């Protein structure tokens, strides 16, 4: 299965079903969308590593807040 069309559509069907309820949807979407941009055929359309890092840091912060709201740590 090719993931790119699903990721571009914002669909999370590619996420392992065992992870359901363990991640923030906005966080996963943000990570997925930056992933799609990283594999653009045209290299000039790919994000810089600084942008990728920034997006992933934001996604991680969202995930941490989600876990904290569930009472989980780490």
């Amino acid at each position: 299965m090719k993931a790119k069309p699903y990721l571009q559509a914002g669909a999370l069907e590619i996420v392992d079903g065992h992870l359901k309820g363990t991640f923030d949807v906005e966080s996963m979407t943000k990570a997925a969308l930056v992933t799609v941009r990283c594999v653009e055929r045209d290299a000039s359309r790919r994000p810089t590593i600084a942008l990728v890092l920034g997006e992933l840091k934001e996604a991680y912060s969202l995930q941490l807040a989600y876990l904290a709201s569930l009472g989980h740590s780490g």
Side-chain angles (χ1 to χ4, degrees), residues 6-73:
Y6 291 94
L7 294 171
Q8 286 173 321
L12 297 177
E13 284 88 0
I14 64 162
V15 177
D16 186 332
H18 291 98
L19 297 177
K20 195 174 226 176
T22 65
F23 63 87
D24 177 76
V25 173
E26 186 179 354
S27 171
M28 185 68 77
T29 301
K30 184 176 282 293
L33 292 176
V34 78
T35 301
V36 168
R37 293 179 60 206
C38 287
V39 295
E40 282 287 341
R41 189 175 299 268
D42 179 356
S44 68
R45 297 184 64 192
R46 295 179 199 147
T48 63
I49 193 64
L51 185 78
V52 172
L53 183 58
E55 291 291 311
L56 292 178
K57 281 182 176 180
E58 283 183 37
Y60 183 63
S61 292
L62 291 169
Q63 178 63 19
L64 289 178
Y66 174 79
L67 291 175
S69 76
L70 296 178
H72 293 103
S73 62

